[in-house]
Amino acid sequence: MPHRSAPPRFAHVFVYGTLRRGGSNDIARYRPAPRFVGEAFIAATLHDLGSYPGAVLGGDARLRGEVYRITPEVEAALDLLEDVRADGTGEYLRRELSVEVGGLRLQCLVYELHPERVAGRPVIGAGDWFAAPGARRDFTRRN
């Protein structure tokens, strides 16, 4: 009997900072190309870390972002970018969150800033990295 390979596993990811369209780490640069699903909001507080943001999930603040369908290869690349470590000591922690996008509820990966890295970081009250003063964006690229 021939061996059948399993179909690729897809996940969804909610991105809110430099990975958004036009951001300095635009997710469209990854391969295989992520598929844009839609814009969404989650409950989280956005913090300014200088050239990129970090979110702390929960609370009353709303965080603007985008949802993409991604492959395991892109998921692994995002884990490296976000410095996710198996022992939980990296800069970001992988979380799974139910996100409403386009009238659907999707389970999404969300990269949350490690709680030990929040102290002294200013809050971006608008909950939108692209609206933050001095946020680095690259709007010259077209998708």
Side-chain angles (χ1 to χ4, degrees):
M1 178 172 200
H3 179 270
R4 292 185 185 178
S5 59
R9 181 179 65 89
F10 289 95
H12 291 93
V13 63
F14 175 90
V15 298
Y16 55 84
T18 65
L19 287 164
R20 285 173 54 193
R21 288 179 291 180
S24 58
N25 288 314
D26 190 329
I27 197 168
R29 297 176 184 171
Y30 288 87
R31 296 291 175 259
R35 184 176 62 83
F36 178 71
V37 177
E39 293 189 5
F41 290 88
I42 63 171
T45 301
L46 191 61
H47 294 269
D48 190 341
L49 303 176
S51 60
Y52 59 95
V56 175
L57 301 181
D60 294 330
R62 286 176 32 106
L63 173 60
R64 181 184 191 141
E66 300 165 355
V67 174
Y68 291 86
R69 187 171 183 195
I70 59 170
T71 63
E73 295 86 1
V74 172
E75 187 177 321
L78 294 178
D79 284 353
L80 286 174
L81 175 72
E82 303 293 6
D83 186 31
V84 173
R85 299 182 192 165
D87 65 1
T89 63
E91 187 169 15
Y92 288 83
L93 303 169
R94 284 173 56 106
R95 302 292 191 208
E96 192 169 326
L97 190 65
S98 178
V99 177
E100 185 175 335
V101 57
L104 300 172
R105 293 217 62 81
L106 300 172
Q107 287 302 115
C108 293
L109 296 175
V110 179
Y111 292 92
E112 180 177 29
L113 183 63
H114 194 290
E116 292 179 0
R117 300 179 190 263
V118 174
R121 301 298 184 163
V123 171
I124 299 170
D128 184 348
W129 174 242
F130 286 5
R136 294 186 185 169
R137 295 171 294 281
D138 176 8
F139 290 111
T140 60
R141 269 184 39 82
R142 296 285 181 228
N143 296 340

